[in-house]
Amino acid sequence: MKILLLDKNHPLITEQLLAKNFTLEEDFTSSYDEVCNTIENYDGIIIRSRIPLDKNFLERGKNLKFIARVGAGMENIDVVAARQLGIQLINSPEGNRDSVAEHVVGMLLVLMHRLFIASLEVKDGIWKREENRGDELLGKTVGLIGYGNMGKAAAKRLSGFGCKVIFHDILPDLSDEFASQVTLDQLKNSADIVSLHIPLTTETYHLVDEEFISGMKKDFYFINTARGKNVNTGSLVEGLRSGKIKGACLDVLEYEKSSFEHLETENDDLKYLLDSEKVIVTPHIAGWTHQSKEKLAQIIVDKILASFG
């Protein structure tokens, strides 16, 4: 089989697939149109997020048997068209779930205990104790929206902090030893902390908006390590201004480029988030550890070999 690699990934992908007699070609720079002109020559694609694989692209790939996405989200791929064309879709959410879960806990602790702010103040010669009094995770009810690989990994860790963990998911009967399944209304009535672990779809676009935020019974902390467009940023900012949202931990932003390489929009809402002491922002790195890079790649190789080896 002849495979096109469209993004740089861990070298074990190349090493292990070459050892199994796959033919591999790398193209990390060509544009969408340039790749479209050659895609019919390949049996498979390995990609992260560099270019969109829409219906037009997939139809041009007349010999494509699979698309392997090194990561979890598949929004860069026209999933419906791929299935209609008989193209197998492979991803690797198992590979970075532990990284994401640790990032969630880390951001929460930094925010709730004012660790970053207090550290910067002391380094600047400012010694404030009462102003930096923290808020404990112990005893909080955490509401997870989405209970796949990421949600389950987060629940396992948060339960160890003495949190009560509940979750809402579109699939039934997912409760386990770490979290209990509830309706979305029940989650809104109980949660002190809300964390998103959902894909980006037409149903989840701007899921967190003014109606969602105002429907929360308690003032709450908010975490998003899923996709930026799951959240209406204007509504988030208003929630922070009003105090309904006590603080936010954001690894993803609505204004990211689709390839996640940088921000493509600047506006007053973004400036508020970047300037606010109530907001922790990281550059889409929740799943981005040395360990996850290797695990993501190994899972992709294992799945390709299981189907086509």
Side-chain angles (χ1 to χ4, degrees):
M1 296 184 73
K2 190 175 181 181
I3 301 175
L4 176 63
L5 286 72
L6 287 172
D7 291 281
K8 293 181 180 179
N9 286 293
H10 195 287
L12 72 80
I13 292 179
T14 301
E15 294 165 3
Q16 294 186 21
L17 291 179
L18 285 175
K20 293 295 184 178
N21 297 317
F22 287 82
T23 299
L24 304 181
E25 292 187 6
E26 298 177 346
D27 184 349
F28 304 148
T29 59
S30 292
S31 68
Y32 168 90
D33 290 332
E34 290 169 334
V35 179
C36 271
N37 290 334
T38 62
I39 195 59
E40 65 181 355
N41 299 323
Y42 299 95
D43 301 291
I45 298 172
I46 299 176
I47 191 170
R48 287 204 315 265
S49 305
R50 188 168 72 82
I51 61 174
L53 307 187
D54 57 15
K55 185 176 181 180
N56 170 65
F57 183 100
L58 299 177
E59 288 177 342
R60 300 279 290 272
K62 301 182 185 304
N63 296 306
L64 282 178
K65 298 175 179 62
F66 75 87
I67 298 168
R69 202 265 161 165
V70 184
M74 304 290 275
E75 71 272 10
N76 218 41
I77 303 167
D78 188 330
V79 173
V80 173
R83 289 172 177 160
Q84 290 173 344
L85 292 166
I87 301 171
Q88 182 175 337
L89 298 178
I90 299 168
N91 65 342
S92 52
E94 309 93 334
N96 60 357
R97 61 188 173 191
D98 297 313
S99 176
V100 170
E102 290 186 10
H103 200 88
V104 166
V105 173
M107 285 199 299
L108 264 179
L109 291 174
V110 168
L111 180 71
M112 295 173 67
H113 286 266
R114 297 178 60 84
L115 300 179
F116 185 66
I117 294 167
S119 177
L120 287 179
E121 287 177 350
V122 173
K123 289 182 178 183
D124 200 32
I126 300 169
W127 190 270
K128 294 181 179 178
R129 297 187 68 223
E130 185 58 38
E131 294 88 343
N132 284 311
R133 191 178 289 275
D135 193 7
E136 296 180 8
L137 272 173
L138 179 66
K140 296 287 193 298
T141 297
V142 181
L144 308 175
I145 300 181
Y147 206 61
N149 282 280
M150 312 303 174
K152 290 176 183 177
K156 182 177 180 180
R157 285 154 180 82
L158 289 163
S159 64
F161 280 83
C163 296
K164 177 183 178 181
V165 186
I166 58 178
F167 69 90
H168 173 69
D169 196 283
I170 59 174
L171 298 177
D173 304 321
L174 297 178
S175 295
D176 58 24
E177 61 186 302
F178 302 114
S180 301
Q181 189 160 8
V182 297
T183 66
L184 187 57
D185 284 340
Q186 288 172 327
L187 184 148
K188 289 181 177 181
N189 283 333
S190 301
D192 301 290
I193 300 166
V194 174
S195 185
L196 298 189
H197 300 278
I198 51 178
L200 179 62
T201 65
T202 53
E203 289 77 21
T204 64
Y205 176 79
H206 280 187
L207 175 69
V208 176
D209 58 9
E210 182 180 0
E211 181 180 0
F212 180 100
I213 294 167
S214 63
M216 292 290 296
K217 183 176 181 180
K218 304 177 184 177
D219 296 344
F220 66 103
Y221 295 101
F222 176 70
I223 313 160
N224 189 11
T225 55
R227 289 293 183 262
K229 289 182 173 60
N230 293 136
V231 179
N232 182 310
T233 305
S235 300
L236 174 66
V237 168
E238 285 305 309
L240 288 161
R241 289 184 187 277
S242 71
K244 184 65 180 180
I245 299 177
K246 298 165 73 173
C249 302
L250 307 174
D251 183 55
V252 291
L253 292 166
E254 185 174 6
Y255 312 118
E256 285 180 78
K257 189 177 178 181
S258 61
S259 59
F260 311 136
E261 294 169 332
H262 54 75
L263 297 175
E264 59 181 1
T265 302
E266 294 184 14
N267 56 37
D268 289 342
D269 288 336
L270 177 60
K271 187 177 187 304
Y272 176 88
L273 296 178
L274 298 180
D275 291 344
S276 175
E277 287 191 350
K278 297 197 293 182
V279 182
I280 301 290
V281 184
T282 52
H284 205 130
I285 56 168
W288 210 252
T289 60
H290 298 293
Q291 294 79 11
S292 70
K293 182 177 182 180
E294 181 172 351
K295 287 188 283 187
L296 286 165
Q298 189 62 64
I299 289 166
I300 285 294
V301 169
D302 292 345
K303 289 182 178 181
I304 291 172
L305 294 179
S307 295
F308 304 101

